[in-house]
Every structure is written in structure tokens, then in C-alpha cells.
Amino acid sequence: NLNITVGPLGGAENLPPEYREAWEEEDQRRRAEISQDLRDRFYDKLTHLSKRCAVAGDEGTRFAKSNLGHVLELCDILPSMMIDSDMELQGAIERAKHMLQGVDSDSIKSSKIVATDISQQAKEIANSLM
């Protein structure tokens, strides 16, 4: 989705007083919406990783490298997408990076212990965002 919102340049200080409060409320609403969208994206990828790891190695299931890649990609780009500092999201990103350090898809596919551990940790990190 691409949403474009037009507002005054320079912020509320350039608005007449009767419009300033409404603009500030709208700005806060948009910032909260953007922050929630970033959390939702990370939550979705972590939840997906958790579910895929939970069944990794089971007969008839497949574990793709992209399950890890998508989470790591978000770990790299989400900080630059944050408008306001979100310490909870930043902490979740750091925990996810730490969780996946030295882990690859082959280790998840070949070890049920590793897969279960990653599944549990990813679920815990995702739940911390809600």
C-alpha cells in the first residue's frame, strides 16, 4: 500500500492557531499508526518464523532460507524506518539479531533442538511487541 499525506511544510508552527491543534492531533495519530505498522510487520515475520521452525524437520514440511532472511532484513531496515524512537521495537530487533546470530536454515532443518529453540524465542519476541 502506498499512502500519501500532504501537510504544511515546517509543521504546526506555520498554521493559524485555529488549525494547529487539529494538525498536531493528526500528526500524533499518523506517527502512532506508522509505529504500529512497523511492529505489525516484525510481529508477522517473527510469528511466521516461529511456526515454520516448530515443524522444521517434520516429514512433509519444508523450511526455506527466506524464513530467516525476511526477519534479518527487517532487523536491518526497521531502525531507519522509525520516525519516533520505539525502545520496545528496538529491543525486539536486537533480541532477534542475537537469536539468529550463527543460525542458518541448514542448522534449523537438521536439528529439532535448534528449530524448537528458535521457534520459542521468535514467539516470545513477537509476543513482546503486542
PDB file of all heavy atoms in Angstrom, residues 2-20:
ATOM      1  N   LEU A   2       0.464   2.208  -0.756  1.00  0.00           N
ATOM      2  CA  LEU A   2       1.161   3.479  -0.782  1.00  0.00           C
ATOM      3  C   LEU A   2       0.173   4.553  -0.371  1.00  0.00           C
ATOM      4  O   LEU A   2      -0.840   4.752  -1.037  1.00  0.00           O
ATOM      5  CB  LEU A   2       1.708   3.774  -2.179  1.00  0.00           C
ATOM      6  CG  LEU A   2       2.354   5.144  -2.372  1.00  0.00           C
ATOM      7  CD1 LEU A   2       3.598   5.267  -1.492  1.00  0.00           C
ATOM      8  CD2 LEU A   2       2.738   5.331  -3.825  1.00  0.00           C
ATOM      9  N   ASN A   3       0.440   5.173   0.755  1.00  0.00           N
ATOM     10  CA  ASN A   3      -0.407   6.260   1.243  1.00  0.00           C
ATOM     11  C   ASN A   3       0.385   7.543   1.198  1.00  0.00           C
ATOM     12  O   ASN A   3       1.498   7.610   1.711  1.00  0.00           O
ATOM     13  CB  ASN A   3      -0.855   6.005   2.679  1.00  0.00           C
ATOM     14  CG  ASN A   3      -1.719   4.783   2.797  1.00  0.00           C
ATOM     15  OD1 ASN A   3      -2.552   4.536   1.929  1.00  0.00           O
ATOM     16  ND2 ASN A   3      -1.534   4.011   3.853  1.00  0.00           N
ATOM     17  N   ILE A   4      -0.179   8.550   0.590  1.00  0.00           N
ATOM     18  CA  ILE A   4       0.465   9.850   0.526  1.00  0.00           C
ATOM     19  C   ILE A   4      -0.396  10.838   1.294  1.00  0.00           C
ATOM     20  O   ILE A   4      -1.590  10.958   1.044  1.00  0.00           O
ATOM     21  CB  ILE A   4       0.640  10.310  -0.933  1.00  0.00           C
ATOM     22  CG1 ILE A   4       1.522   9.314  -1.692  1.00  0.00           C
ATOM     23  CG2 ILE A   4       1.216  11.722  -0.984  1.00  0.00           C
ATOM     24  CD1 ILE A   4       1.640   9.587  -3.167  1.00  0.00           C
ATOM     25  N   THR A   5       0.230  11.539   2.227  1.00  0.00           N
ATOM     26  CA  THR A   5      -0.469  12.531   3.016  1.00  0.00           C
ATOM     27  C   THR A   5       0.246  13.856   2.840  1.00  0.00           C
ATOM     28  O   THR A   5       1.466  13.928   2.957  1.00  0.00           O
ATOM     29  CB  THR A   5      -0.478  12.138   4.503  1.00  0.00           C
ATOM     30  OG1 THR A   5      -1.048  10.835   4.617  1.00  0.00           O
ATOM     31  CG2 THR A   5      -1.274  13.113   5.326  1.00  0.00           C
ATOM     32  N   VAL A   6      -0.513  14.872   2.559  1.00  0.00           N
ATOM     33  CA  VAL A   6       0.055  16.192   2.349  1.00  0.00           C
ATOM     34  C   VAL A   6      -0.230  17.034   3.576  1.00  0.00           C
ATOM     35  O   VAL A   6      -1.352  17.054   4.085  1.00  0.00           O
ATOM     36  CB  VAL A   6      -0.554  16.844   1.084  1.00  0.00           C
ATOM     37  CG1 VAL A   6       0.004  18.230   0.875  1.00  0.00           C
ATOM     38  CG2 VAL A   6      -0.316  15.963  -0.127  1.00  0.00           C
ATOM     39  N   GLY A   7       0.771  17.713   4.060  1.00  0.00           N
ATOM     40  CA  GLY A   7       0.619  18.593   5.203  1.00  0.00           C
ATOM     41  C   GLY A   7       1.468  19.828   5.007  1.00  0.00           C
ATOM     42  O   GLY A   7       2.273  19.896   4.074  1.00  0.00           O
ATOM     43  N   PRO A   8       1.333  20.792   5.860  1.00  0.00           N
ATOM     44  CA  PRO A   8       2.115  22.022   5.710  1.00  0.00           C
ATOM     45  C   PRO A   8       3.593  21.766   5.971  1.00  0.00           C
ATOM     46  O   PRO A   8       3.943  20.957   6.820  1.00  0.00           O
ATOM     47  CB  PRO A   8       1.520  22.954   6.758  1.00  0.00           C
ATOM     48  CG  PRO A   8       0.896  22.049   7.761  1.00  0.00           C
ATOM     49  CD  PRO A   8       0.452  20.827   7.012  1.00  0.00           C
ATOM     50  N   LEU A   9       4.439  22.419   5.209  1.00  0.00           N
ATOM     51  CA  LEU A   9       5.872  22.311   5.439  1.00  0.00           C
ATOM     52  C   LEU A   9       6.230  23.087   6.696  1.00  0.00           C
ATOM     53  O   LEU A   9       5.700  24.152   6.953  1.00  0.00           O
ATOM     54  CB  LEU A   9       6.651  22.870   4.247  1.00  0.00           C
ATOM     55  CG  LEU A   9       6.505  22.084   2.954  1.00  0.00           C
ATOM     56  CD1 LEU A   9       7.237  22.794   1.823  1.00  0.00           C
ATOM     57  CD2 LEU A   9       7.052  20.690   3.110  1.00  0.00           C
ATOM     58  N   GLY A  10       7.147  22.526   7.445  1.00  0.00           N
ATOM     59  CA  GLY A  10       7.597  23.221   8.635  1.00  0.00           C
ATOM     60  C   GLY A  10       6.815  22.898   9.884  1.00  0.00           C
ATOM     61  O   GLY A  10       7.199  23.274  10.970  1.00  0.00           O
ATOM     62  N   GLY A  11       5.699  22.237   9.751  1.00  0.00           N
ATOM     63  CA  GLY A  11       4.960  21.820  10.927  1.00  0.00           C
ATOM     64  C   GLY A  11       3.897  22.791  11.372  1.00  0.00           C
ATOM     65  O   GLY A  11       3.531  23.735  10.673  1.00  0.00           O
ATOM     66  N   ALA A  12       3.414  22.550  12.561  1.00  0.00           N
ATOM     67  CA  ALA A  12       2.254  23.264  13.093  1.00  0.00           C
ATOM     68  C   ALA A  12       2.527  24.739  13.363  1.00  0.00           C
ATOM     69  O   ALA A  12       1.606  25.541  13.365  1.00  0.00           O
ATOM     70  CB  ALA A  12       1.781  22.588  14.369  1.00  0.00           C
ATOM     71  N   GLU A  13       3.779  25.095  13.578  1.00  0.00           N
ATOM     72  CA  GLU A  13       4.067  26.493  13.902  1.00  0.00           C
ATOM     73  C   GLU A  13       3.711  27.451  12.764  1.00  0.00           C
ATOM     74  O   GLU A  13       3.538  28.650  12.977  1.00  0.00           O
ATOM     75  CB  GLU A  13       5.533  26.682  14.322  1.00  0.00           C
ATOM     76  CG  GLU A  13       6.548  26.395  13.234  1.00  0.00           C
ATOM     77  CD  GLU A  13       6.942  24.930  13.135  1.00  0.00           C
ATOM     78  OE1 GLU A  13       6.435  24.104  13.907  1.00  0.00           O
ATOM     79  OE2 GLU A  13       7.756  24.622  12.263  1.00  0.00           O
ATOM     80  N   ASN A  14       3.574  26.938  11.546  1.00  0.00           N
ATOM     81  CA  ASN A  14       3.215  27.775  10.406  1.00  0.00           C
ATOM     82  C   ASN A  14       1.711  27.847  10.162  1.00  0.00           C
ATOM     83  O   ASN A  14       1.275  28.541   9.250  1.00  0.00           O
ATOM     84  CB  ASN A  14       3.894  27.260   9.133  1.00  0.00           C
ATOM     85  CG  ASN A  14       5.400  27.371   9.222  1.00  0.00           C
ATOM     86  OD1 ASN A  14       5.930  28.262   9.861  1.00  0.00           O
ATOM     87  ND2 ASN A  14       6.093  26.440   8.600  1.00  0.00           N
ATOM     88  N   LEU A  15       0.945  27.152  10.942  1.00  0.00           N
ATOM     89  CA  LEU A  15      -0.504  27.147  10.775  1.00  0.00           C
ATOM     90  C   LEU A  15      -1.163  28.237  11.613  1.00  0.00           C
ATOM     91  O   LEU A  15      -0.652  28.590  12.686  1.00  0.00           O
ATOM     92  CB  LEU A  15      -1.080  25.796  11.215  1.00  0.00           C
ATOM     93  CG  LEU A  15      -0.792  24.602  10.329  1.00  0.00           C
ATOM     94  CD1 LEU A  15      -1.281  23.339  11.024  1.00  0.00           C
ATOM     95  CD2 LEU A  15      -1.461  24.744   8.983  1.00  0.00           C
ATOM     96  N   PRO A  16      -2.308  28.691  11.147  1.00  0.00           N
ATOM     97  CA  PRO A  16      -3.085  29.592  12.005  1.00  0.00           C
ATOM     98  C   PRO A  16      -3.484  28.834  13.275  1.00  0.00           C
ATOM     99  O   PRO A  16      -3.685  27.622  13.257  1.00  0.00           O
ATOM    100  CB  PRO A  16      -4.324  29.912  11.153  1.00  0.00           C
ATOM    101  CG  PRO A  16      -3.950  29.566   9.758  1.00  0.00           C
ATOM    102  CD  PRO A  16      -2.911  28.501   9.845  1.00  0.00           C
ATOM    103  N   PRO A  17      -3.595  29.527  14.391  1.00  0.00           N
ATOM    104  CA  PRO A  17      -3.892  28.867  15.677  1.00  0.00           C
ATOM    105  C   PRO A  17      -5.118  27.963  15.650  1.00  0.00           C
ATOM    106  O   PRO A  17      -5.128  26.919  16.295  1.00  0.00           O
ATOM    107  CB  PRO A  17      -4.093  30.034  16.642  1.00  0.00           C
ATOM    108  CG  PRO A  17      -3.355  31.170  16.026  1.00  0.00           C
ATOM    109  CD  PRO A  17      -3.412  30.969  14.541  1.00  0.00           C
ATOM    110  N   GLU A  18      -6.142  28.329  14.889  1.00  0.00           N
ATOM    111  CA  GLU A  18      -7.370  27.518  14.884  1.00  0.00           C
ATOM    112  C   GLU A  18      -7.169  26.150  14.220  1.00  0.00           C
ATOM    113  O   GLU A  18      -7.944  25.233  14.441  1.00  0.00           O
ATOM    114  CB  GLU A  18      -8.533  28.283  14.219  1.00  0.00           C
ATOM    115  CG  GLU A  18      -8.319  28.658  12.775  1.00  0.00           C
ATOM    116  CD  GLU A  18      -7.694  30.050  12.582  1.00  0.00           C
ATOM    117  OE1 GLU A  18      -7.148  30.619  13.539  1.00  0.00           O
ATOM    118  OE2 GLU A  18      -7.757  30.543  11.452  1.00  0.00           O
ATOM    119  N   TYR A  19      -6.107  25.990  13.416  1.00  0.00           N
ATOM    120  CA  TYR A  19      -5.838  24.705  12.755  1.00  0.00           C
ATOM    121  C   TYR A  19      -4.706  23.924  13.419  1.00  0.00           C
ATOM    122  O   TYR A  19      -4.524  22.744  13.167  1.00  0.00           O
ATOM    123  CB  TYR A  19      -5.472  24.921  11.284  1.00  0.00           C
ATOM    124  CG  TYR A  19      -6.560  25.559  10.472  1.00  0.00           C
ATOM    125  CD1 TYR A  19      -6.379  26.794   9.879  1.00  0.00           C
ATOM    126  CD2 TYR A  19      -7.781  24.922  10.310  1.00  0.00           C
ATOM    127  CE1 TYR A  19      -7.386  27.384   9.132  1.00  0.00           C
ATOM    128  CE2 TYR A  19      -8.789  25.496   9.568  1.00  0.00           C
ATOM    129  CZ  TYR A  19      -8.583  26.736   8.979  1.00  0.00           C
ATOM    130  OH  TYR A  19      -9.579  27.302   8.252  1.00  0.00           O
ATOM    131  N   ARG A  20      -3.938  24.595  14.247  1.00  0.00           N
ATOM    132  CA  ARG A  20      -2.728  23.996  14.819  1.00  0.00           C
ATOM    133  C   ARG A  20      -3.029  22.746  15.655  1.00  0.00           C
ATOM    134  O   ARG A  20      -2.384  21.715  15.504  1.00  0.00           O
ATOM    135  CB  ARG A  20      -2.006  25.038  15.662  1.00  0.00           C
ATOM    136  CG  ARG A  20      -0.622  24.589  16.079  1.00  0.00           C
ATOM    137  CD  ARG A  20       0.160  25.689  16.730  1.00  0.00           C
ATOM    138  NE  ARG A  20       0.345  26.757  15.741  1.00  0.00           N
ATOM    139  CZ  ARG A  20       0.483  28.035  16.042  1.00  0.00           C
ATOM    140  NH1 ARG A  20       0.472  28.416  17.301  1.00  0.00           N
ATOM    141  NH2 ARG A  20       0.635  28.939  15.107  1.00  0.00           N
TER     142      ARG A  20
END
